Every structure is written in structure tokens, then in C-alpha cells.
């Protein structure tokens, strides 16, 4: 199993602040996804990154895939209370069909 | 486009019982994966079905089994339930064969409580 480590585990910030969440592994992934999950619901796909060094933007969210395709980051600009949730990164594991290996997630709380 | 649906939403079972969870995949998707998410953890891969056959399996015992039907819907069966099986069970569908084969779309989950 290819392990993904996310940091920080918990983050509590005020509205308007910027933040960065990290996802690291010793393994190379063919692609990496970021999901956001709210309590009692399933994860919602935010973005997929495929190419080393790739940067994708989704409104105030910026996702980057490391050059070696072993790590990724998620940066949120001017966080809003609606950004509150569990952010999960997941990498494709070719040893198990097209399964996803998930990190434990970063729990983000944005207060007004 | 219909998303992934799961039933039931919540379920309470007693240790030693058996349970069946159901999932309907998103239209146009041919692959279903099941994940177990314990409280405070990320989802853990149980197994995946493609063309009605198991296409990969995570580190779960044989009492976790599944089926995929011709319409790509799926079932997860768990026998001899244990207290540690209490978790959110997530079904995800995807379309294998294209460049985005690892992109999976999740249902809302079934919350299983074993007492």
C-alpha cells in the first residue's frame, strides 16, 4: 500500500486568512485527487492532477502536484466559513485495480 | 446525470449478524469501489468491481464480499459483524479505460453501527 501523509491534521483559522495543506508520500502516483468531505456525507471530488509540476486553480483554491509526482499541496486564499470541511488527498494505486489510497485528511474550521 | 446513490442511509446491527449494503453507480460508469471510513480517518479501500468481477482488493478479511450486477450497481456484504466494523461505508463509481480512470465519484455513504 502506498501511504499518503497529510499535514496539518487540524486547522482552525478566521475568515479571510490564507492556508496551505500538504500531502506527501514516498511513492510516485500516476495521478492524485483532492476531495472535500462534510460530516456524514461522501467525499466530493475537487480536482485531479496528473503531470509533475502541474498547477490547477478552482476559484480561491490552488492545487499543485510536485515535480516528482510524490507530493501535492492545496492553498486556499481568503478562506470563508463555507470552506469548512475535511480535505482528503488520494493517489491511484495500480496494484489494486484503480483503487485510491487516501490520506487521513486535514480538518479545516473557518470561523467568521 | 444521476449521481451515486446508496441504501440504506443508516443501519444498526448486532455483533455476529450479517449486513448487505447497496449502491447504484453514476450513469455511464462501469466500475464500483467500496471504502470503509472509520471516525476521524480517511477512507480505506475494501474492493473494486469491474465487469462484474473483483478487480482489486484491500486488506480486508473474506467476510467482506461483494457483487456487481449487469447494470453496474453493486452490493457489499459483511458476515459475522464485529464491533470494529462500525463505520461509514462509501461506494464510489468510475469509468475505467480513459485517462481519468482514477477519478471516483462517491455516494453519501451508509452509516453502520454494530452493537
Amino acid at each position: 500500500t502506498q501511504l499518503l501523509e497529510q499535514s496539518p491534521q487540524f486547522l482552525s483559522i478566521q475568515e479571510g486568512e490564507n492556508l496551505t495543506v500538504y500531502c506527501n508520500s514516498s511513492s510516485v502516483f500516476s495521478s492524485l485527487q483532492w476531495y472535500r468531505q462534510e460530516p456524514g456525507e461522501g467525499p466530493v471530488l475537487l480536482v485531479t492532477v496528473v503531470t509533475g509540476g502541474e498547477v490547477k486553480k478552482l476559484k480561491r483554491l490552488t492545487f499543485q502536484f510536485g515535480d516528482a509526482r510524490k507530493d501535492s499541496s492545496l492553498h486556499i486564499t481568503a478562506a470563508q466559513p463555507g470552506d469548512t470541511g475535511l480535505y482528503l488527498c488520494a493517489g491511484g494505486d495500480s496494484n489494486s485495480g484503480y483503487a485510491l489510497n487516501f490520506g487521513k485528511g486535514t480538518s479545516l474550521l473557518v470561523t467568521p | 446525470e444521476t449521481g451515486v446513490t446508496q441504501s440504506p442511509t443508516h443501519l444498526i446491527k448486532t455483533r455476529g449478524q450479517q449486513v448487505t449494503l447497496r449502491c447504484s453507480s453514476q450513469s455511464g460508469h462501469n466500475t464500483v469501489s467500496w471504502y470503509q471510513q472509520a471516525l476521524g480517518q480517511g477512507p480505506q479501500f475494501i474492493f473494486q468491481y469491474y465487469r462484474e468481477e473483483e478487480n482489486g482488493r484491500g486488506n480486508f478479511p473474506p467476510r467482506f464480499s461483494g457483487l456487481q450486477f449487469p447494470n453496474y450497481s453493486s452490493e457489499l456484504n459483511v458476515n459475522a459483524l464485529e464491533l470494529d466494523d462500525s463505520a461509514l461505508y462509501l461506494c464510489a463509481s468510475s469509468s475505467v479505460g480513459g485517462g481519468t480512470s482514477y477519478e471516483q465519484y462517491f455516494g453519501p455513504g451508509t452509516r453502520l453501527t454494530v452493537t
Side-chain angles (χ1 to χ4, degrees):
Chain A
T1 303
Q2 299 162 293
L3 297 177
L4 283 163
E5 294 187 3
Q6 289 189 242
S7 61
Q9 189 175 357
F10 300 100
L11 196 52
S12 180
I13 61 172
Q14 291 196 316
E15 183 176 3
E17 292 185 21
N18 301 331
L19 67 116
T20 302
V21 174
Y22 300 92
C23 174
N24 295 294
S25 175
S26 58
S27 303
V28 174
F29 290 99
S30 56
S31 69
L32 195 141
Q33 285 83 46
W34 283 92
Y35 291 83
R36 186 166 77 98
Q37 185 178 25
E38 299 195 19
E41 299 183 9
V44 175
L45 179 65
L46 296 174
V47 76
T48 297
V49 286
V50 178
T51 306
E54 182 177 5
V55 177
K56 282 192 173 179
K57 291 191 175 184
L58 183 66
K59 296 184 181 178
R60 294 175 293 100
L61 278 60
T62 301
F63 304 86
Q64 185 162 7
F65 202 13
D67 291 340
R69 292 187 290 129
K70 293 183 178 181
D71 55 85
S72 182
S73 64
L74 158 60
H75 182 80
I76 301 179
T77 303
Q80 298 178 0
D83 296 327
T84 294
L86 179 67
Y87 288 83
L88 295 158
C89 67
D93 182 357
S94 59
N95 295 320
S96 299
Y98 288 92
L100 291 176
N101 283 323
F102 280 86
K104 290 186 177 181
T106 293
S107 181
L108 172 65
L109 174 64
V110 183
T111 54
Chain B
E1 184 176 86
T2 306
V4 179
T5 60
Q6 292 186 242
S7 62
T9 305
H10 297 89
L11 202 52
I12 300 175
K13 289 285 189 178
T14 304
R15 189 172 52 182
Q17 286 187 317
Q18 176 266 344
V19 69
T20 297
L21 310 182
R22 295 178 174 83
C23 170
S24 292
S25 60
Q26 184 168 312
S27 59
H29 286 177
N30 56 17
T31 302
V32 173
S33 303
W34 286 91
Y35 294 82
Q36 180 195 66
Q37 187 176 24
L39 206 59
Q41 301 292 319
Q44 295 290 312
F45 174 67
I46 303 175
F47 44 55
Q48 182 180 85
Y49 279 84
Y50 172 62
R51 291 184 175 177
E52 302 177 50
E53 294 203 0
E54 191 176 284
N55 189 43
R57 189 177 184 94
N59 189 26
F60 280 81
R63 60 188 184 84
F64 285 79
S65 63
L67 286 172
Q68 185 183 32
F69 301 101
N71 66 354
Y72 305 124
S73 66
S74 177
E75 286 183 356
L76 163 65
N77 298 290
V78 186
N79 293 323
L81 284 166
E82 300 177 0
L83 296 179
D84 285 349
D85 295 334
S86 295
L88 181 67
Y89 287 85
L90 296 162
C91 168
S93 75
S94 55
S95 183
V96 169
T100 57
S101 296
Y102 285 104
E103 285 192 350
Q104 298 187 5
Y105 296 85
F106 285 81
T110 293
R111 171 68 64 185
L112 173 64
T113 302
V114 182
T115 62

